[in-house]
Amino acid sequence: MCGIGGWIENNSRMRERFGVLNKMSDTLARRGPDENGIYVNGDTALIHRRLTVIDPENGKQPMAASHKGVTFVIVYNGELYNTDELRNELKSKGFHFRGHSDTEVVLKAYIHFGESCAERLNGIFAFAIFRSDTRTVFLCRDRIGVKPLFYYEYDGGLVFGSEIKTLLASKVVKPRIDESGLCEIFFLGPARTPSNGIFKGVKELLPGECAVYDSCKLDCRKYFSIEAREHTDSESETIEKTRYLLTDAIERQLISDVPMCFFLSGGLDSSIIVQTASRYRKERKLGKTITYSVEYDDNKKFFKRSKFQPNADFEYISMMVKSADTKHNEIILDNYQLVDALSDSVLARDLPGYVDVDSSLLLFCREIKQNYTVALSGECADELFGGYPWYHNRDILFEDCFPWSRSQKIRGFILKDGILPRGEEYVRQKYLDTIRSAPKLKTDTKLEARMREMFYLNFYWFMQCLLERKDRCSMYNGLEVRVPFCDYRLVEYAYNMPWSLKAYGGREKGIVRKAFEDILPKEIAWRKKSPYPKTHNPIYFNECVLRVRNILKKKNIFTELLNKKAVESIIQSPDKITEPWYGQLMKAPQILAYIIELDIWFEKYNVEIE
């Protein structure tokens, strides 16, 4: 994994801008701490920061290749999981390779197939390729949107990068937000509209989108979209294919030239990955499988059961460690550090985010990075296979709104009267735009049609928020985290699977449970879903209260938006917050943490409001 950036400006001389280009590169140093490089050709510059995972010697970037008198140069961030198949195909076409890096395969796939190379890639990636004859730049992002690629188009130029901070470092992009940006932050956050980069004019390539910058114009197109198709497999065939697709995805992602480990929560998803990987490694005598879990100071003492979090993870983790025979490490996080890390979480995302869910992952990855560079995680099974409560509660399922943020009252409540009066209308339109775009079959029942809408809502909103969290918090520490459930073949299969099969046995992710029940302890295969662990220690809430009260004493662009009495009422009566701000667990402590992150963001990024 790496960080990439670039700048094209008509009739400019990029060699005169090396100072700025280096500053842009510096913003990506955490994503790529091992090597850096800048390629300049007239009015075009490409930037790369490398995190070395595959082929240390022959994978250096920017990487160039010549073909029929034309020079092609790539900057690439990601991992390709069908490298060998694609390399062999290209060899049969007469191409030669100097190493075994996936970067070289992507570059030569573009040379041979042109823009259609995107449709042949199975992986998580974002890349840019410059060609010398047409002086065009091709941009591409993976089908699922695991790897980011932001851009800003202006009169005569384009600047792009793996993170928003890279664009800001060019000084072409200003840290300005308008009413739309404020609605995103206050009424949709920590999610954001697909392609919306919050700062005015900043956009992001959509999942499955590519673009060509030619003659001062960026032309974007979708090369991958989820399609509605008839599911013709029987029950037994569906179980078998689900197992095959996920097992194949996991095994493809076990390739690395550097040490690898695995996240283990004791839940279904991470346990499947760990057990599959452990078996694979034992068969090939690759050594002990290394696992990591996260916990918080005194969490066992303060843990409270709820319908969303019915049991703690530790006993299931122990069970899984024994079953898969792993060498396990538990990282215990300090609650004061958890609040302190809200600042780094904002810097990692360039935006206010998922508060303690972000900061805990950031600290967790920081510890893992001391010994490992690559990890695998069970992210995204819930969105694809109906793991969340809102898939199963019929009252919520058919509510005409985002199921993880059903009411915007608390969001409007913390703002002064008259601030963003159209916030709820803004959210409503985003919701409607999404469900209307969900492809369906004429034969779909009312339930199946709604499940397709729910899939689309979760895929393009909730899942993207979690993928953004996973990418930024891990790459902020120079740790590559792979997500096997995001294999596009599994996504396509899940979209068209009838609900009766997906919810096999009437259970969340029932088909996945059934497909892997024979390799897991029964208690884990059929364990009720439990979300990412959060702190239950009152220290966290109390520390958030102290910091928010200090914020409320300030007089600045951010606090002028707040209804300070309303914020104080949350502090005084946290139990009155019954509807989560976002997701299942983002209640009073997390709302206060979000206010802390907003304050950090406005200050650190010198945000201006138009």
Side-chain angles (χ1 to χ4, degrees):
M1 296 297 178
C2 310
I4 67 171
W7 194 356
I8 311 105
E9 187 174 271
N10 191 35
N11 296 323
S12 68
R13 287 194 286 188
M14 284 294 163
R15 289 198 177 277
E16 298 175 358
R17 300 184 182 178
F18 260 107
V20 178
L21 293 172
N22 278 317
K23 288 180 180 178
M24 292 171 67
S25 177
D26 289 344
T27 66
L28 299 167
R30 284 182 168 273
R31 295 186 72 90
D34 298 330
E35 294 177 353
N36 67 85
I38 297 175
Y39 171 83
V40 170
N41 186 316
D43 61 2
T44 301
L46 299 180
I47 299 166
H48 189 263
R49 299 292 300 227
R50 188 182 187 197
L51 177 66
T52 305
V53 174
I54 302 289
D55 198 354
E57 185 58 35
N58 297 298
K60 296 179 183 295
Q61 298 185 53
M63 180 182 289
S66 294
H67 185 73
K68 296 182 179 179
V70 180
T71 298
F72 299 82
V73 184
I74 187 173
V75 285
Y76 168 79
N77 164 34
E79 294 292 343
L80 199 62
Y81 302 132
N82 63 334
T83 302
D84 290 344
E85 297 98 317
L86 198 48
R87 183 190 291 113
N88 289 336
E89 182 180 0
L90 291 166
K91 282 183 176 179
S92 73
K93 305 293 184 182
F95 283 87
H96 299 279
F97 293 84
R98 62 175 178 262
H100 65 274
S101 78
D102 52 347
T103 307
E104 187 176 9
V105 171
V106 173
L107 177 58
K108 291 180 178 176
Y110 175 78
I111 292 172
H112 183 67
F113 297 111
E115 294 176 30
S116 65
C117 71
E119 295 150 31
R120 296 172 174 269
L121 307 179
N122 178 359
I124 55 176
F125 52 78
F127 63 86
I129 298 177
F130 168 77
R131 56 181 299 162
S132 63
D133 57 342
T134 60
R135 302 201 61 78
T136 56
V137 173
F138 176 68
L139 304 174
C140 189
R141 190 179 182 207
D142 67 75
R143 289 171 169 89
I144 311 303
V146 179
K147 291 288 117 182
L149 188 54
F150 294 94
Y151 66 91
Y152 178 86
E153 189 178 9
Y154 62 100
D155 186 19
L158 176 78
V159 60
F160 63 88
S162 295
E163 297 186 4
I164 295 172
K165 61 175 65 71
T166 310
L167 278 59
L168 292 169
S170 72
K171 299 301 182 182
V172 172
V173 182
K174 306 299 181 186
R176 294 178 183 143
I177 57 173
D178 54 17
E179 184 178 358
S180 170
L182 287 171
C183 283
E184 293 278 333
I185 290 295
F186 282 100
F187 281 88
L188 288 170
R192 56 186 172 85
T193 302
S195 86
N196 192 316
I198 309 301
F199 292 103
K200 192 173 180 181
V202 174
K203 297 180 180 179
E204 184 177 22
L205 279 187
L206 290 167
E209 191 172 47
C210 61
V212 175
Y213 189 73
D214 184 15
S215 302
C216 300
K217 182 181 178 183
L218 187 70
D219 183 23
C220 300
R221 70 171 179 87
K222 289 280 283 184
Y223 70 87
F224 171 80
S225 296
I226 298 171
E227 297 178 1
R229 300 176 184 142
E230 185 182 358
H231 184 88
T232 58
D233 290 346
S234 66
E235 179 182 297
S236 61
E237 289 170 334
T238 303
I239 293 167
E240 182 181 351
K241 190 165 184 179
T242 300
R243 177 160 174 159
Y244 164 74
L245 287 173
L246 182 53
T247 301
D248 186 62
I250 294 167
E251 291 182 350
R252 284 175 181 270
Q253 297 185 29
L254 298 178
I255 305 302
S256 174
D257 289 341
V258 295
M260 173 184 290
C261 66
F262 301 82
F263 290 7
L264 178 62
S265 69
L268 175 71
D269 314 327
S270 64
S271 296
I272 289 172
I273 293 171
V274 166
Q275 190 74 282
T276 303
S278 180
R279 291 182 169 203
Y280 179 95
R281 292 174 63 82
K282 284 180 180 178
E283 288 173 2
R284 290 157 182 78
K285 296 181 171 56
L286 296 176
K288 200 88 162 175
T289 298
I290 309 298
T291 53
Y292 280 85
S293 64
V294 63
E295 189 52 278
Y296 306 86
D297 277 344
D298 288 331
N299 234 25
K300 294 176 184 177
K301 175 181 176 181
F302 292 106
F303 178 77
K304 294 179 181 178
R305 297 179 187 274
S306 70
K307 64 179 180 179
F308 293 131
Q309 203 155 17
N311 42 49
D313 289 335
F314 62 90
E315 58 189 89
Y316 297 94
I317 292 171
S318 299
M319 193 181 301
M320 198 59 224
V321 167
K322 183 177 179 181
S323 175
D325 187 28
T326 77
K327 181 179 179 182
H328 188 66
N329 305 271
E330 183 183 51
I331 305 299
I332 299 177
L333 303 180
D334 175 85
N335 286 280
Y336 292 104
Q337 288 182 327
L338 192 63
V339 184
D340 287 339
L342 292 173
S343 180
D344 275 351
S345 300
V346 172
L347 297 178
R349 275 208 192 217
D350 295 320
L351 297 166
Y354 216 162
V355 293
D356 53 339
V357 178
D358 281 1
S359 62
S360 60
L361 180 62
L362 188 146
L363 293 172
F364 184 47
C365 290
R366 182 179 297 171
E367 291 298 316
I368 293 172
K369 175 60 180 178
Q370 293 182 25
N371 298 295
Y372 293 91
T373 301
V374 180
L376 266 68
S377 172
E379 224 81 16
C380 301
D382 295 303
E383 291 82 3
L384 305 181
F385 291 99
Y388 294 117
W390 47 74
Y391 277 101
H392 301 269
N393 183 326
R394 292 299 178 95
D395 293 334
I396 298 176
L397 176 63
F398 286 98
E399 274 189 338
D400 209 16
C401 62
F402 288 115
W404 51 82
S405 188
R406 295 157 61 203
S407 171
Q408 279 76 53
K409 287 183 180 178
I410 185 62
R411 295 169 177 269
F413 179 63
I414 69 166
L415 295 171
K416 285 181 179 176
D417 289 343
I419 301 289
L420 302 180
R422 292 186 291 275
E424 292 191 27
E425 179 185 328
Y426 185 88
V427 173
R428 173 75 178 161
Q429 191 58 54
K430 298 298 181 183
Y431 164 80
L432 291 174
D433 291 345
T434 307
I435 63 168
R436 287 167 181 165
S437 63
K440 300 169 186 173
L441 296 177
K442 291 181 179 179
T443 55
D444 285 341
T445 64
K446 181 182 177 182
L447 176 62
E448 293 296 348
R450 182 56 177 168
M451 285 303 180
R452 290 191 190 276
E453 292 175 353
M454 287 291 282
F455 189 107
Y456 241 55
L457 289 168
N458 280 270
F459 181 85
Y460 281 108
W461 289 88
F462 204 81
M463 185 167 132
Q464 296 302 318
C465 183
L466 291 177
L467 286 175
E468 183 173 8
R469 161 188 176 255
K470 182 58 60 79
D471 174 81
R472 304 308 188 280
C473 295
S474 59
M475 295 302 290
Y476 190 76
N477 293 290
L479 177 72
E480 172 190 317
V481 179
R482 300 173 180 175
V483 279
F485 278 95
C486 286
D487 187 294
Y488 78 91
R489 300 167 300 163
L490 194 62
V491 172
E492 289 180 311
Y493 196 62
Y495 185 72
N496 291 295
M497 192 183 296
W499 181 245
S500 59
L501 288 176
K502 192 177 290 188
Y504 185 93
R507 290 298 306 275
E508 71 281 4
K509 297 179 287 192
I511 193 72
V512 181
R513 297 176 187 278
K514 185 64 179 175
F516 288 88
E517 66 175 349
D518 65 321
I519 72 166
L520 297 175
K522 183 178 179 180
E523 296 89 339
I524 289 176
W526 296 97
R527 179 190 177 192
K528 184 174 174 60
K529 174 185 164 49
S530 188
Y532 181 84
K534 72 166 188 172
T535 182
H536 296 268
N537 196 316
I539 286 175
Y540 181 78
F541 176 72
N542 294 336
E543 188 64 21
C544 286
V545 167
L546 288 174
R547 299 189 188 205
V548 168
R549 281 185 167 149
N550 285 332
I551 290 169
L552 295 180
K553 294 174 184 176
K554 298 179 181 179
K555 190 172 183 179
N556 56 34
I557 189 174
F558 167 55
T559 59
E560 286 300 302
L561 301 172
L562 293 178
N563 180 335
K564 296 183 180 182
K565 288 184 179 179
V567 175
E568 181 61 35
S569 73
I570 296 173
I571 292 172
Q572 294 291 339
S573 305
D575 292 337
K576 288 185 177 180
I577 306 299
T578 55
E579 280 290 326
W581 176 280
Y582 184 87
Q584 302 165 63
L585 304 174
M586 201 169 170
K587 294 191 177 179
Q590 289 73 31
I591 292 171
L592 298 183
Y594 195 71
I595 291 171
I596 294 169
E597 287 203 339
L598 280 164
D599 181 65
I600 293 166
W601 182 64
F602 271 92
E603 184 176 300
K604 296 282 189 183
Y605 286 78
N606 298 309
V607 177
E608 303 171 9
I609 299 176
E610 288 193 353

